């Protein structure tokens, strides 16, 4: 799985863009995914040779994996960073008090909402979304300069942590 | 006689090769087979005009009969086996546990812990063999309907089938179902999940989200399906393999015994009460042995069972990240959904009236047929994207499960993960593949164990062992492990203990054929030749279309191999081994082109998309 962006004819970026650099909405990715999946799914090769069936199955699972990597913001940013040589899994983040306090605050408010305090829900969602949008914007503007590698790894990891935190809380809010 | 003929586009179909495209619902209590007759998809009837065939296999010393038993000669010992689907793909231990909840009146042999067998008048039979009898009888029904001749009916390739399984069937149960089909001489195009099949048959056309509630005789399944144009995407699936109408019958008899009979067992009580249950669908009360049972009584008995299905629905919606309000329609499938209690319960839980306008008994078989037609025809365009129903993982230190493929991951899927050794100079690594949602290995189902040996001596934590999980579109798993510094590979088809190896299959086939007085060798020779011809056809087609994708040298090699294969396929003296070896080399040569064609398919699919 070298470059999932190329597989869907996208520009490697933290957000979704055409190869020419124009911004794309999320449902375009889904449309492309189903289109290529229809062309490659093993069901479409049931009557073909074993080698062809195997190739279809391999491609189809590559597409599933690539789609999953690009579908949500967090994993897309992670994939993009990996292409620039920054493997998130191999990094150790420095302790950051501000981030820690932010997390504690959000967790507390989330717990209150979970306990039934619906009045806080709307503002909490707003705050989480705005943290997420800010972090994503930071990556998008970093990408504007088309870097070859990541220079300021610490800031990058800090922003990534914010994106990860807000994505995680967003999901928990959603499944409530 | 309407026979569907299949040929690669641009080729003339072989007039001697007739292929039937079939959909099979292999159910716990009933089974059905569907095909296209006079242009219309229908469930095929038995000689008596019955579409539903009871999934009961009757063994006597000299015969096997499936469905309604006809031979009732005095003095003939008959053993009747019902609901074998409950036991397929399960180990001796699991069968023993199941028997506590579902006692049966036939005996088991647990000598082989991996493959439990039933004692029949014809000797020990595995659940796979017993299921194969059901499939064979359905196949016979198709043969009679379409007048397939002797030669074609001997050839599995003439029967292209899609068989349905509960979404919640695990890997072992799927493998076992495939084995049963092979044993019955059917060529399986795909196993698909029952609720998915049902949604295909309901013919939903409007884009949106559908919840399928499939409550059958022995299993409960639910799926959340999104329809978008021609694409059916299963978003999430949940269910319970031990929950069905049988459980309602069981609970009702327990209740009746306790409240009316002071625990005194009565013969045939269960079937009497089953009948009462069915009558209560249309009547307010019925009388049973001088007592009255009201619909309300039944509602109370069913309550805890239905509550378990509602819990599955909650989890389903959570996994699919949907609220109940986002569900456009609820589709009911399975005989147990005929109960007004189910209809009312679902209406309350889902905040809308469910659809029940397709015969709940036939809907799954018809859906399987729809999928089979899609897979054998170039004209039908729908795409079915399904998911892996249960999480798959590996045992790690302390009996904790590391999940590799989480449940509801779209399939096919390949996942790789790196593991390392725990001890210095550890030379082997045991891999234990498990399935289930719980953290601890003990609470999950063990699928397979294998070892990666000859790891070179290294300090603890230095070795890098890449474990790869491959799940195909049937939901069948393959696991392999590789030590990265030496590239030493160990792999296994997770064909757990219950699965049949190629040799075992041959053995069983041989045993069966010998008694029928047929020449198994001739049959296998013919099969090998047909297999080779099939792959030649397919390679010919691929080469004609896309040879230009290959470099010149590869093109020449491909053409040469194809030429040799064609010559061998015509050579009457060619042995089975020759034919098989040729098939393998042709397959190997065609791999490169096959992969290039997939790249091209993607390019073509996205051509001119500036959406």
């Amino acid at each position: 799985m070298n470059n999932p962006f190329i597989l869907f004819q996208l520009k490697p970026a933290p957000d979704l863009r055409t190869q020419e650099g124009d911004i794309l909405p999320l449902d375009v990715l889904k449309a492309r995914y189903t289109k290529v999946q229809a062309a490659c799914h093993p069901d479409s090769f049931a009557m073909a040779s074993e080698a062809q069936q195997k190739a279809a199955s391999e491609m189809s699972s590559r597409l599933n994996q690539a789609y999953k990597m690009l579908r949500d913001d967090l994993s897309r940013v992670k994939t993009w960073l990996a292409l620039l040589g920054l493997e998130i899994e191999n990094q150790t983040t420095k302790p950051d008090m501000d981030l820690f306090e932010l997390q504690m605050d959000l967790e507390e408010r989330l717990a209150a909402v979970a306990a039934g305090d619906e009045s806080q829900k709307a503002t909490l969602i707003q705050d989480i979304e705005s943290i997420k949008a800010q972090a994503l914007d930071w990556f998008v503007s970093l990408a504007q300069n088309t870097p070859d590698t990541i220079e300021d790894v610490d800031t990058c990891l800090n922003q990534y942590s914010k994106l990860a935190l807000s994505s995680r809380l967003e999901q928990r809010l959603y499944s409530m | 006689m309407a026979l569907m003929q299949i040929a690669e586009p641009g080729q003339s179909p072989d007039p001697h090769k007739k292929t039937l495209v079939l959909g099979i619902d292999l159910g716990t209590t009933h089974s059905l087979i569907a095909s296209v007759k006079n242009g219309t998809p229908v469930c095929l009837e038995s000689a008596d005009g019955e579409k539903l065939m009871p999934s009961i296999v009757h063994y006597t010393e000299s015969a096997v009969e499936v469905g309604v038993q006809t031979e009732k000669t005095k003095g003939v010992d008959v053993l009747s086996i019902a609901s074998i689907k409950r036991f397929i793909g399960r180990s001796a231990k699991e069968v023993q546990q199941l028997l506590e909840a579902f006692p049966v009146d036939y005996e088991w042999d647990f000598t082989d812990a991996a493959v439990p067998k039933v004692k029949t008048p014809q000797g020990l039979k595995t659940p796979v063999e017993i299921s194969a009898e059901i499939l064979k009888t359905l196949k016979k029904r198709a043969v009679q309907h379409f007048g397939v001749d002797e030669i074609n009916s001997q050839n599995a390739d003439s029967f292209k089938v899609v068989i349905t399984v509960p979404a919640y069937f695990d890997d072992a149960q799927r493998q076992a179902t495939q084995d049963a089909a092979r044993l019955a001489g059917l060529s399986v195009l795909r196993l698909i999940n029952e609720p998915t099949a049902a949604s295909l048959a309901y013919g939903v056309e409007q884009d949106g989200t559908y919840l399928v509630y499939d409550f059958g005789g022995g299993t409960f399944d639910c799926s959340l399906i999104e329809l978008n144009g021609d694409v059916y995407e299963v978003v999430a699936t949940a269910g319970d393999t031990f929950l069905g109408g049988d459980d309602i019958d069981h609970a009702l008899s327990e209740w009746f015994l306790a409240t009316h009979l002071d625990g005194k067992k009565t013969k045939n009580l269960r079937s009497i009460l089953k009948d009462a249950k069915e009558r209560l669908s249309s009547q307010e009360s019925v009388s049973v042995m001088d007592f009255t049972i009201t619909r309300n009584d039944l509602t109370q008995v069913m309550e805890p069972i239905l509550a378990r299905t509602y819990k599955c629905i909650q989890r389903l919606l959570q996994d699919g990240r949907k609220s109940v309000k986002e569900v456009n329609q609820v589709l009911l499938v399975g005989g147990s959904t005929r109960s007004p209690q189910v209809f009312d319960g679902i209406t309350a839980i889902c905040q809308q009236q469910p659809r029940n306008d397709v015969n709940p008994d036939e809907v799954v078989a018809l859906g399987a047929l729809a999928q089979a037609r899609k897979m054998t025809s170039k004209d039908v365009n729908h795409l079915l994207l399904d998911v892996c129903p249960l999480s798959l993982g590996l045992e790690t230190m302390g009996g904790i499960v590391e999940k590799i493929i989480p449940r509801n991951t779209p399939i096919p899927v390949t996942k790789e993960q790196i593991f390392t050794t725990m001890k210095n100079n550890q030379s082997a690594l045991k891999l234990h593949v498990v399935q289930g949602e719980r953290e601890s290995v003990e609470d999950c189902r063990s699928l397979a164990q294998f070892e990666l040996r000859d790891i070179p001596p290294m300090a603890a934590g230095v070795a890098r062992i890449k474990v790869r999980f491959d799940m195909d579109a049937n939901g069948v798993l393959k696991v392999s492990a590789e030590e990265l510094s030496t590239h030493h590979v160990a792999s296994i088809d997770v064909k757990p203990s219950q699965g049949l190896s190629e040799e075992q299959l041959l053995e069983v086939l041989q045993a069966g054929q010998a008694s029928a007085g047929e020449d198994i060798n001739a049959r296998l020779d013919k099969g090998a030749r047909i297999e080779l011809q099939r792959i030649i056809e397919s390679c010919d087609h691929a080469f004609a279309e896309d040879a230009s994708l290959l470099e010149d040298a590869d093109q020449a090699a491909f053409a040469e191999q194809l030429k040799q294969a064609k010559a061998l396929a015509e050579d009457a003296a060619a042995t089975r081994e020759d034919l098989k070896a040729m098939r393998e080399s042709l397959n190997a040569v065609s791999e490169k082109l096959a992969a290039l064609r997939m790249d091209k398919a993607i390019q073509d699919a996205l051509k001119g998309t500036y959406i």
Side-chain angles (χ1 to χ4, degrees):
Chain A
M1 178 71 47
N2 22 33
N3 193 332
F5 292 99
I6 303 292
L7 209 48
F8 292 111
Q9 296 187 2
L10 298 166
K11 181 184 173 167
D15 51 358
L16 288 174
R17 286 170 189 266
T18 63
Q19 281 167 324
E20 290 72 32
D22 301 325
I23 293 181
L24 286 170
L26 191 63
D27 49 356
V28 168
L29 177 66
K30 172 136 198 185
R32 287 192 184 184
Y33 164 71
T34 43
K35 223 169 184 177
V36 291
Q37 193 60 278
C40 299
H41 197 275
D43 282 1
S44 309
F45 295 90
M47 309 302 280
S49 68
E50 286 150 64
Q52 197 67 64
Q53 285 182 32
K54 196 170 141 233
S57 189
E58 273 165 15
M59 184 55 90
S60 175
S61 78
R62 260 180 80 188
L63 290 170
N64 277 332
Q65 216 167 338
Y67 179 52
K68 198 179 163 222
M69 289 164 100
L70 302 183
R71 196 172 38 178
D72 72 280
D73 297 325
L74 185 67
S75 60
R76 190 183 327 110
V77 168
K78 187 175 152 189
T79 308
W80 176 68
L81 288 173
L83 287 174
L84 293 174
L86 185 71
E87 301 269 359
I88 292 293
E89 267 120 14
N90 301 336
Q91 304 297 319
T92 27
T93 41
K94 288 187 180 148
D96 180 330
M97 271 325 275
D98 290 344
L99 186 66
F100 182 66
E101 271 168 28
L102 177 69
Q103 181 174 2
M104 293 312 284
D105 171 56
L106 292 173
E107 292 275 4
E108 221 165 86
R109 289 163 63 193
L110 188 72
V113 172
D117 186 357
E118 287 284 318
S119 63
Q120 279 197 43
K121 197 172 178 177
T123 46
L124 180 61
I125 292 176
Q126 223 170 35
D127 288 355
I128 289 174
E129 294 301 333
S130 114
I131 293 166
K132 195 176 166 188
Q134 275 174 28
L136 190 61
D137 277 351
W138 186 87
F139 285 106
V140 171
S141 53
L142 180 66
Q144 299 289 331
N145 310 320
T146 50
D148 296 329
T149 54
I150 300 293
E151 306 262 327
D152 186 356
V153 172
D154 286 341
T155 315
C156 189
L157 289 178
N158 177 274
Q159 292 294 338
Y160 184 82
S161 300
K162 281 186 185 161
L163 189 63
L165 172 67
S166 50
S167 304
R168 209 165 55 231
L169 295 177
E170 190 185 34
Q171 241 183 54
R172 273 167 55 191
L173 261 173
Y174 205 100
S175 60
M176 258 175 205
Chain B
M1 201 70 40
L3 267 177
M4 298 196 65
Q5 297 202 339
I6 296 163
E8 290 270 0
Q11 287 181 326
S12 63
D14 178 350
H16 303 297
K17 217 171 79 188
K18 293 193 168 165
T19 304
L20 286 177
V21 176
L22 305 161
I24 291 181
D25 172 5
L26 182 60
T28 310
T29 49
H30 291 96
S31 298
L32 293 105
I33 185 163
S35 192
V36 174
K37 217 175 169 186
N38 305 323
T40 317
V42 287
C43 288
L44 303 178
E45 294 172 354
S46 69
D48 305 329
E50 294 288 338
K51 289 177 178 171
L52 282 171
M53 184 180 81
S55 302
I56 303 177
V57 184
H58 309 279
Y59 282 92
T60 66
E61 247 173 56
S62 58
V64 182
E65 258 185 89
V66 178
V68 186
Q69 201 195 342
T70 52
E71 185 187 4
K72 276 225 170 98
T73 327
K74 262 189 199 158
V76 173
D77 254 349
V78 182
L79 179 82
S80 300
I81 301 166
S83 303
I84 194 67
K85 187 176 173 182
R86 278 191 192 275
F87 305 107
I88 197 166
R90 303 208 165 266
S91 67
K93 202 174 130 205
E94 288 167 320
V95 170
Q96 278 161 333
Q97 278 168 4
L98 275 170
L99 289 175
E100 282 171 26
F102 305 99
V104 295
D105 47 13
Y106 49 86
E107 279 179 51
W108 287 82
D109 177 290
F110 295 117
T111 324
D112 184 346
V115 191
K117 298 179 184 76
V118 176
K119 291 180 186 164
T120 79
Q122 295 189 19
L124 299 177
K125 297 284 175 191
T126 65
V128 167
E129 290 171 270
I130 297 164
S131 299
E133 293 296 341
I134 299 173
L135 291 170
K136 272 185 215 163
T137 309
L138 290 173
K139 175 180 164 182
K140 210 179 284 164
R141 196 180 274 191
V143 167
Q144 280 159 359
H145 269 267
F146 294 106
V148 181
D149 65 32
E150 192 63 26
I151 294 166
N152 275 311
S153 65
Q154 290 295 319
N155 178 10
D157 249 2
S158 308
F159 302 87
K160 297 282 184 199
V161 298
V162 167
I163 301 179
T164 58
V165 290
Y168 241 48
F169 248 28
D170 66 27
D171 187 74
Q173 292 163 304
R174 284 168 201 264
Q175 292 270 14
T177 306
Q178 270 182 332
D179 286 344
R182 283 159 71 205
L183 216 49
L186 300 168
S187 154
V188 180
L189 289 165
R190 179 75 73 237
L191 298 179
I192 64 169
N193 295 328
E194 285 159 10
T196 314
S199 73
L200 293 176
Y202 257 102
V204 291
E205 277 171 0
Q206 211 162 7
D207 285 2
T209 303
Y210 296 86
L211 192 157
V212 185
Y213 180 95
D214 180 356
F215 198 20
T219 53
F220 170 70
D221 265 324
C222 53
S223 286
L224 206 54
I225 294 171
E226 261 180 42
L227 178 61
N228 203 332
D230 290 328
V231 182
Y232 283 76
E233 188 181 358
V234 180
V235 184
T237 175
D240 192 329
T241 26
F242 306 124
L243 193 60
D246 290 359
D247 299 82
I248 297 173
D249 302 339
H250 184 68
L252 192 62
S253 17
E254 294 285 303
W255 169 82
F256 193 78
L257 264 174
T259 52
H260 295 305
L261 300 179
D262 298 325
K264 221 166 57 207
K265 294 229 156 106
T266 310
K267 225 185 156 206
N268 297 331
L269 181 64
R270 204 147 147 180
S271 57
I272 293 167
L273 287 169
K274 185 176 182 210
D275 179 59
K277 175 190 81 175
E278 278 161 17
R279 281 187 289 144
L280 280 171
S281 292
S282 51
Q283 289 166 246
E284 280 300 326
S285 66
V286 295
S287 52
V288 175
M289 303 195 280
D290 302 335
F291 299 104
T292 303
I293 303 181
T294 66
R295 187 181 285 177
N296 197 32
D297 291 333
L298 179 62
T299 306
Q300 305 236 322
V301 168
M302 285 173 75
E303 167 59 43
I305 293 168
L306 293 185
R308 281 166 69 190
T309 70
Y310 304 151
K311 223 171 156 179
C312 287
I313 292 182
Q314 303 294 352
R315 203 188 83 184
L316 178 76
L317 291 167
Q318 213 168 56
D319 280 1
R321 298 200 202 170
K322 294 271 177 202
S323 75
V324 77
K325 290 189 185 72
E326 289 172 274
V327 175
N328 297 65
Q329 274 184 357
V330 180
L331 313 175
L332 296 187
V333 187
S336 298
T337 61
R338 284 205 174 89
S339 295
Q341 285 87 350
V342 171
F343 191 89
D344 295 344
I346 290 296
T347 306
I349 292 279
C350 297
Q351 301 166 22
Q352 60 173 297
Q353 285 208 350
R355 270 183 70 180
N356 58 354
D357 49 303
V358 179
N359 182 330
D361 293 324
E362 295 177 22
V363 66
V364 169
L366 291 171
L369 173 63
Q371 177 66 7
R373 292 178 78 191
K374 185 252 159 178
M375 292 179 68
T376 49
S377 138
K378 288 268 169 210
D379 311 325
V380 189
N381 273 324
H382 79 244
L383 171 65
L384 179 60
L385 299 172
D386 218 326
V387 295
C388 146
L390 295 158
S391 300
L392 296 158
L394 278 180
E395 174 174 358
T396 59
M397 276 296 287
I400 300 297
V401 178
E402 169 88 18
K403 279 183 190 161
I404 310 282
I405 301 178
R407 71 161 186 262
N408 291 323
T409 298
I411 53 171
V413 62
T414 301
K415 281 270 174 78
E416 287 173 352
Q417 199 147 319
I418 309 284
F419 289 84
T420 190
T421 44
M422 293 301 297
K423 292 187 190 123
N424 287 333
N425 302 329
Q426 186 175 337
S427 66
L429 186 76
K430 199 182 88 184
L431 293 149
H432 183 196
V433 184
V434 297
Q435 183 166 39
E437 307 312 317
R438 308 283 288 277
E439 296 264 295
S440 132
V441 166
E442 284 165 18
D443 301 325
C444 288
R445 188 169 148 72
S446 168
L447 287 183
Q449 304 209 17
F450 69 109
E451 258 184 34
L452 180 69
R453 289 198 200 88
D454 305 325
I455 300 172
M458 274 182 268
V462 172
R464 286 166 56 80
I465 292 143
K466 186 171 80 182
V467 179
R468 184 182 152 122
F469 277 53
D470 273 304
M471 181 173 263
D472 68 14
N474 291 320
V476 170
L477 181 69
K478 190 174 191 166
V479 179
S480 63
E482 181 185 0
E483 203 289 301
L484 291 175
S485 66
T486 56
H487 297 291
H488 184 67
V489 181
S491 79
I492 185 171
D493 282 327
V494 178
K495 179 156 262 223
S497 19
Q498 294 92 343
L500 289 174
S501 69
E502 208 62 42
E503 290 78 42
Q504 284 170 311
L505 186 71
L506 213 62
E507 223 171 79
V508 179
L509 275 175
Q510 235 149 0
Q513 295 302 322
S515 62
E518 282 175 51
D519 186 355
I520 186 80
N521 267 318
R523 191 176 152 191
L524 289 172
D525 284 346
K526 190 162 186 300
R529 198 173 293 272
I530 290 172
E531 287 267 337
L532 179 62
Q533 281 162 345
R534 198 174 70 86
I535 190 169
I536 289 173
E537 262 176 47
S538 155
C539 286
D540 231 359
H541 170 67
F543 193 69
E545 240 180 26
D546 289 318
S548 60
L549 296 174
L550 290 168
E551 284 169 23
D552 290 350
D554 290 335
Q555 250 187 57
F558 196 117
E560 176 57 28
Q561 190 74 53
L562 203 50
K563 202 176 109 194
Q564 284 182 17
K566 281 178 185 168
L568 191 73
E570 295 296 317
D571 181 359
T575 65
R576 189 155 79 228
E577 285 70 30
D578 293 342
L579 293 163
K580 206 174 154 205
M582 180 57 82
R583 196 182 103 210
E584 273 159 21
S585 12
L586 184 56
N587 213 29
V589 167
S590 69
E591 263 172 25
K592 203 177 213 169
L593 181 61
L596 289 168
R597 291 184 86 210
M598 295 323 297
D599 292 339
K600 183 172 166 250
I602 290 197
Q603 302 294 327
D604 289 349
L606 290 180
K607 203 173 271 173
T609 39
Y610 292 103
I611 42 168

